[in-house]
C-alpha cells in the first residue's frame, strides 16, 4: 500500500468526496494565506515603534526575541494543527490569534503593566479551562444554543471580514479620517494595480473551475510583484511581511516562563485577564468553526457542526501548549476557509498545513517570501464566495433579520468575530420578546445574552484597569 493510499484511508478522504491531491492543494492554499503569522505574531508580541512594549527579555535584543517568537509561533501552530488533523480529522488550521496577541502585548503587558510571564500564565489557565469544559461537553453545549439566525449569519459575516482584511492588505481600501475607509489612490500605487490584476485573474481561474486556482493566482501575483521590485517599480518593503530569518532557535527564555508568572499575582485582576482571553477566544473559535464549517457543508439541519468537541479540543490543547512554549492564545484561523473552498474536507488538509509550518523552521523565507498583497488575494476571493451563505437566513422573518444582520455587519466593522456573534445573540431575545414570541427563547439563550452584557460592562467600565 503506497503512501497516498495510506493517507486516503487514514483520513477517510474518499468518504468525504475528496482526493489526496485536492487535500494537499487545499493545505498549501491555507498555509500560504496564513503564513504571515510567522513574522506578524513576533512583531506584535514584542511591540512596534511608538507603541507600548510587549515581550522584552533581559539580555536579548528585539530581533533575537522576535526570532525566538517566530520559532515558538511555528511550533504552537504545528502542534495545534496536528491535533486538529489526527484527532478531529477536520481541515481547520490553527496558530496564535491576531487580536488576542495585540491584547496580550499592548493591553495586558503595555497598558496594564502586567509582566509578560504573568500574561502567559493567564493564557495557560485559559487553555486548561477550555480543555476541562470541552472534555465535559460544555463548550459544545453552549455553541448549540446559539440562535439559529446567528449560526446561519456567521459564514457571511466572516466572508465580509476576510474581504476587508484582504482589500486593505492589497491597498485597494485604505484608512480615511472622514469616512474611516475609502478607495486607495490606485493610479499611483503599483502594489494596488498588481493586486487588482492578480485578483481578477484569480477570480477568472476560480470561475473556470481550474484546480489550485487560488495558488496559481497567488504565485502569478508574487512573480509579477517581485519582478517589479527588481526593476524598482515596487518598493522591496511594499506590502511584504518584512522580517528576518529565525536565526535564534534557542527558545529556553520563553518556554516554561509561564510558571514564574504565577508568583505574586493579584487574584481579581488575574481572573479578569483570564476571563477576557477566555471570552474572546471562545466565541472567535466558535464563530470560525461554524462559519468555515458552513462553507464546507459540514453543518447539520440545525446549523450545528457534528463532533465540534474534537476541533474545540484541538484549540484548547493548542492554547495550552502555546502558553507553555511562550506565545499568546492559539485559535482556529478564518483563513482555513481558503483551503475549504479549494476542496479540503479532512484532516489531511490540516496535516499539510502543519508539515509546511514545521518545514518553515528551516526555511523561514518560504513563509515570508510571498508578499502580503499577493497572499491576501485568497481572502478576497473566498470572502466573496462565502457571501452565498446568506441565502440560508430567513430574511422574511424580522426576528431573524435583525440578529442575522447585526452578526454580519458588526464582524467587519469591529474587526471581531466575537463581537459580531455578541451583537446577534444579544439582539435575538430582545426582538423575540418585542414580537411576542417568548417561547422561541431558551434559558440558555437568555444566559448567553446576559453573559455578553456582563462582559461588555467589565470591558468598558475600566474595572480591568482599576484592578492592576
Amino acid at each position: 500500500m503506497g503512501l497516498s493510499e495510506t493517507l486516503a484511508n487514514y483520513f477517510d478522504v474518499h468518504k468525504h468526496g475528496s482526493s489526496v491531491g485536492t487535500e494537499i492543494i487545499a493545505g498549501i492554499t491555507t498555509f500560504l494565506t496564513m503564513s504571515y503569522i510567522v513574522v506578524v505574531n513576533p512583531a506584535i508580541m514584542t511591540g512596534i515603534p511608538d507603541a507600548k512594549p510587549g515581550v522584552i527579555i533581559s539580555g536579548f535584543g528585539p530581533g533575537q526575541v522576535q526570532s525566538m517568537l517566530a520559532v515558538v509561533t511555528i511550533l504552537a501552530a504545528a502542534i495545534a494543527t496536528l491535533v486538529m488533523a489526527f484527532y478531529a480529522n477536520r481541515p481547520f488550521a490553527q496558530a496564535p490569534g491576531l487580536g488576542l496577541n495585540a491584547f496580550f502585548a499592548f493591553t495586558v503587558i503595555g497598558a496594564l503593566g502586567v509582566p509578560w510571564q504573568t500574561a502567559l500564565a493567564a493564557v495557560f489557565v485559559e487553555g486548561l479551562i477550555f480543555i476541562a469544559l470541552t472534555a465535559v461537553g460544555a463548550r459544545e453545549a453552549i455553541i448549540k444554543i446559539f440562535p439559529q439566525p446567528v449560526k446561519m449569519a456567521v459564514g457571511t459575516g466572516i466572508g465580509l471580514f476576510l474581504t476587508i482584511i484582504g482589500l486593505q492588505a492589497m491597498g485597494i481600501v485604505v484608512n480615511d479620517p472622514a469616512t474611516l475607509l475609502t478607495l486607495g489612490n490606485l493610479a499611483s500605487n503599483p502594489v494596488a494595480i498588481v493586486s487588482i490584476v492578480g485578483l481578477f485573474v484569480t477570480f477568472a481561474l476560480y470561475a473556470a473551475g481550474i484546480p489550485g486556482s487560488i495558488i496559481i493566482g497567488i504565485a502569478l501575483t508574487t512573480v509579477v510583484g517581485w519582478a517589479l521590485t527588481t526593476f524598482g517599480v515596487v518598493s522591496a518593503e511594499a506590502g511584504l511581511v518584512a522580517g528576518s530569518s529565525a536565526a535564534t532557535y534557542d527558545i529556553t527564555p520563553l518556554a516554561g516562563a509561564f510558571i514564574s508568572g504565577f508568583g505574586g499575582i493579584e487574584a481579581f485582576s488575574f481572573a479578569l485577564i483570564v476571563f477576557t482571553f477566555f471570552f474572546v477566544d471562545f466565541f472567535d473559535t466558535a464563530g470560525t468553526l461554524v462559519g468555515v464549517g458552513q462553507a464546507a457543508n459540514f453543518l447539520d439541519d440545525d446549523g450545528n457542526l457534528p463532533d465540534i468537541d474534537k476541533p474545540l479540543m484541538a484549540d484548547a490543547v493548542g492554547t495550552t501548549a502555546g502558553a507553555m512554549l511562550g506565545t499568546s492564545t492559539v485559535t482556529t484561523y478564518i483563513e482555513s476557509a481558503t483551503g475549504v473552498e479549494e476542496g479540503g474536507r479532512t484532516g489531511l488538509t490540516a496535516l499539510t498545513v502543519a508539515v509546511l509550518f514545521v518545514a518553515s523552521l528551516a526555511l523561514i523565507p518560504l513563509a515570508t517570501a510571498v508578499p502580503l498583497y499577493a497572499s491576501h488575494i485568497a481572502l478576497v476571493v473566498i470572502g466573496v464566495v462565502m457571501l452565498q451563505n446568506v441565502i440560508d437566513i430567513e430574511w422574511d422573518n424580522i426576528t431573524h433579520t435583525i440578529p442575522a444582520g447585526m452578526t454580519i455587519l458588526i464582524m467587519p466593522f469591529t474587526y471581531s468575530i466575537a463581537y459580531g456573534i455578541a451583537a446577534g445573540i444579544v439582539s435575538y431575545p430582545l426582538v423575540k420578546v418585542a414580537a411576542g414570541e417568548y417561547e422561541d427563547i431558551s434559558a440558555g439563550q437568555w444566559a448567553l445574552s446576559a453573559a455578553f452584557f456582563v462582559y461588555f460592562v467589565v470591558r468598558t467600565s475600566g474595572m480591568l484597569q482599576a484592578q492592576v
Side-chain angles (χ1 to χ4, degrees):
M1 183 182 295
L3 177 60
S4 178
E5 188 176 351
T6 300
L7 291 172
N9 291 337
Y10 183 88
F11 291 104
D12 290 328
V13 170
H14 301 306
K15 178 181 176 182
H16 288 83
S18 186
S19 67
V20 171
T22 297
E23 296 290 311
I24 292 175
I25 289 175
I28 294 172
T29 302
T30 298
F31 175 77
L32 286 175
T33 56
M34 66 181 290
S35 60
Y36 63 85
I37 197 62
V38 174
V39 177
V40 172
N41 188 53
I44 291 175
M45 291 279 284
T46 54
I48 56 177
D50 302 321
K52 301 235 181 228
V55 177
I56 297 176
I57 302 176
S58 178
F60 294 90
Q64 291 174 303
V65 177
Q66 285 195 14
S67 181
M68 296 178 197
L69 282 165
V71 175
V72 167
T73 299
I74 289 170
L75 293 176
I79 290 170
T81 308
L82 283 172
V83 175
M84 184 70 74
F86 290 107
Y87 177 66
N89 194 22
R90 293 292 191 184
F92 308 136
Q94 299 185 305
L98 287 175
L100 285 163
N101 54 8
F103 175 77
F104 181 102
F106 302 130
T107 300
V108 177
I109 299 175
L112 304 182
V114 174
W116 61 269
Q117 295 92 334
T118 302
L120 287 175
V123 174
F124 177 76
V125 171
E126 175 214 348
L128 291 181
I129 294 173
F130 271 161
I131 289 175
L133 291 177
T134 305
V136 299
R139 290 179 79 185
E140 181 178 5
I142 292 173
I143 294 172
K144 282 186 176 180
I145 62 176
F146 279 21
Q148 182 75 1
V150 174
K151 291 178 183 176
M152 295 297 99
V154 166
T156 300
I158 288 177
L160 289 176
F161 190 14
L162 289 171
T163 302
I164 195 169
I165 292 172
L167 291 175
Q168 285 186 308
M170 294 159 67
I172 298 173
V173 171
V174 297
N175 296 333
D176 184 87
T179 62
L180 295 182
L181 295 175
T182 190
L183 184 68
N185 187 353
L186 306 183
S188 62
N189 185 354
V191 166
I193 295 173
V194 171
S195 299
I196 291 171
V197 173
L199 175 63
F200 281 102
V201 168
T202 307
F203 272 135
L205 294 171
Y206 192 91
I210 296 175
S213 55
I214 294 177
I215 293 179
I216 295 172
I218 292 173
L220 290 175
T221 306
T222 299
V223 171
V224 172
W226 279 110
L228 293 177
T229 299
T230 301
F231 291 104
V233 178
V234 174
S235 167
E237 290 77 28
L240 297 181
V241 183
S244 59
S245 62
T248 303
Y249 286 86
D250 180 10
I251 61 172
T252 48
L254 290 172
F258 76 97
I259 297 175
S260 64
F262 286 107
I265 61 175
E266 198 283 314
F268 185 69
S269 60
F270 184 77
L272 286 178
I273 294 169
V274 171
F275 175 73
T276 301
F277 279 130
F278 174 91
F279 192 90
V280 177
D281 185 25
F282 184 103
F283 290 100
D284 262 3
T285 300
T288 300
L289 290 176
V290 172
V292 179
Q294 185 182 19
N297 294 318
F298 286 157
L299 304 188
D300 60 22
D301 293 338
D302 296 321
N304 297 317
L305 179 65
D307 296 323
I308 195 174
D309 59 308
K310 291 184 177 181
L312 287 173
M313 184 60 80
D315 172 81
V317 171
T319 292
T320 307
M324 295 171 69
L325 289 169
T327 189
S328 56
T329 304
V330 172
T331 189
T332 304
Y333 262 55
I334 55 177
E335 284 85 350
S336 301
T338 62
V340 164
E341 290 295 340
E342 279 289 344
R345 292 294 182 271
T346 74
L348 183 52
T349 293
L351 175 60
T352 302
V353 175
V355 169
L356 289 173
F357 267 120
V358 172
S360 67
L361 279 170
L363 301 170
I364 288 292
L366 176 67
T368 59
V370 178
L372 200 62
Y373 58 82
S375 67
H376 278 48
I377 284 175
L379 301 190
V380 178
V381 173
I382 299 311
V384 170
V385 172
M386 289 183 73
L387 296 181
Q388 63 189 336
N389 295 326
V390 78
I391 64 174
D392 295 328
I393 299 168
E394 296 180 32
W395 291 109
D396 57 348
N397 183 341
I398 193 63
T399 64
H400 281 221
T401 299
I402 291 174
M406 291 295 288
T407 301
I408 291 170
L409 294 173
I410 295 299
M411 278 190 196
F413 291 155
T414 62
Y415 257 61
S416 171
I417 296 172
Y419 292 165
I421 293 174
I425 287 177
V426 170
S427 61
Y428 180 76
L430 295 179
V431 295
K432 281 293 184 180
V433 168
E437 300 174 5
Y438 307 94
E439 68 281 356
D440 290 345
I441 313 169
S442 69
Q445 289 166 346
W446 278 117
L448 272 184
S449 182
F452 273 113
F453 177 77
V454 171
Y455 167 75
F456 284 111
V457 168
V458 173
R459 189 83 166 86
T460 60
S461 66
M463 289 177 63
L464 187 58
Q465 286 84 346
Q467 292 297 322
V468 180

